[in-house]
Amino acid sequence: MKCAPEIVYHKLSAIYTIKEEDYIAYYVWLKTRNCFKVLVATILSQNSTDKSALKAYLELEKKVGVTPEKLSDADLSDIENALKISGLYKTKAKRLKIISKIILEKYNGLIDNLLNSSNPREELLKFEGIGEKTADVVLLTCRGYEVFPIDTHITRVSKRLGIVPMNAKYELISSTLKELFSAYNLLQLHHLLIAHGRQTCKARKPLCNSCIIKECCEYYSHRDGEARKSNTS
């Protein structure tokens, strides 16, 4: 990366407005302050857009209720019907029911008992259907733990900027961003990088010329250099 971390952070902060409804976990947290609901919302966002996941979450809340007790007791078909707008709804419905039962039985129905354990991330990763990103979203959003969730947008932006090598995996990207931006609000940075990936640093046809941090970017530098070579040849 060609700029200091603070330059990237402040430039992104200046151009992007974080709308809570565009980030389902953040939206649910601000509305409920309930970590179990945030976990459910984050699971629903897997292989789905935040927009459709939020619709599914609201339907689930309306038709079934988003508590360990209600999800555990509900017929699987009722959960599925509420989630149909979201991708992989059958798989998600089954996982939510199983997770709810385990939280009831092992943690007395209180996800806070899990989050207060000595290694909450490790405990979350024991559940089928909860991977690193889902666990980190819950821990960062609800408790402000020093973790950094990585999605496809953040992966793409990080690699193009040159923060990590092109073959970097989740753990390296997460730990590198966490270290580089340790002085800043990690949850806000998480949202800013997603916004940048969605709106500017797109997978196809990135809007490099209008990018606020193009001078920081290794990808832009290489692309611009190739363009200049073509123009002079």
Side-chain angles (χ1 to χ4, degrees), residues 9 20 23 30 46 55 58 83 114 120 126 134 155 193:
Y9 185 88
E20 60 192 53
Y23 306 88
L30 292 179
Q46 296 170 356
K55 288 181 180 178
L58 294 174
L83 302 184
L114 183 159
K126 290 178 182 178
T134 297
T155 296
L193 289 173

Side-chain angles (χ1 to χ4, degrees), residues 32-225:
T32 70
R33 299 293 174 176
N34 183 302
C35 297
F36 180 76
K37 293 178 187 291
V38 172
L39 173 61
V40 170
T42 308
I43 290 171
L44 294 182
S45 71
Q46 296 170 356
N47 301 103
S48 179
T49 65
D50 280 70
K51 186 176 180 180
S52 63
L54 181 56
K55 288 181 180 178
Y57 172 86
L58 294 174
E59 277 295 294
L60 185 65
E61 186 73 275
K62 180 173 136 183
K63 293 182 176 178
V64 178
V66 182
T67 68
E69 294 82 5
K70 289 180 178 179
L71 287 170
S72 180
D73 291 342
D75 289 340
L76 186 60
S77 60
D78 290 336
I79 301 174
E80 290 175 353
N81 287 333
L83 302 184
K84 276 189 175 179
I85 195 170
S86 178
L88 302 175
Y89 69 93
K90 286 182 178 285
T91 300
K92 291 174 184 177
K94 183 178 179 182
R95 285 176 176 172
L96 289 180
K97 193 169 175 65
I98 292 171
I99 289 169
S100 297
K101 285 183 177 179
I102 294 173
I103 289 176
L104 276 174
E105 294 168 4
K106 187 174 180 180
Y107 298 101
N108 204 26
L110 299 172
I111 195 172
D112 283 347
N113 290 339
L114 183 159
L115 298 178
N116 291 335
S117 64
S118 59
N119 194 333
R121 190 175 192 268
E122 185 177 296
E123 291 300 309
L124 284 169
L125 291 175
K126 290 178 182 178
F127 289 94
E128 183 179 352
I130 297 181
E132 291 176 306
K133 178 196 165 188
T134 297
D136 288 345
V137 167
V138 173
L139 294 172
L140 180 60
T141 304
C142 294
R143 292 294 182 86
Y145 287 141
E146 289 187 3
V147 294
F148 202 95
I150 304 300
D151 74 344
T152 55
H153 298 295
I154 295 174
T155 296
R156 181 172 64 254
V157 172
S158 299
K159 290 180 177 181
R160 283 179 175 171
L161 281 172
I163 291 173
V164 293
M166 292 303 292
N167 63 350
K169 303 299 183 185
Y170 188 101
E171 185 178 348
L172 178 60
I173 302 169
S174 178
S175 61
T176 302
L177 286 169
K178 187 171 62 175
E179 182 178 349
L180 277 176
F181 294 91
S182 59
Y184 301 94
N185 184 317
L186 294 182
L187 182 58
Q188 184 182 16
L189 177 66
H190 171 72
H191 293 149
L192 289 171
L193 289 173
I194 292 173
H196 186 61
R198 286 173 174 171
Q199 298 178 42
T200 304
C201 194
K202 301 178 181 183
R204 297 179 181 179
K205 298 182 179 179
L207 307 178
C208 292
N209 290 334
S210 61
C211 176
I212 193 71
I213 54 172
K214 63 186 177 185
E215 74 275 13
C216 304
C217 182
E218 298 284 356
Y219 175 83
Y220 176 77
S221 177
H222 176 75
R223 181 174 169 173
D224 187 47

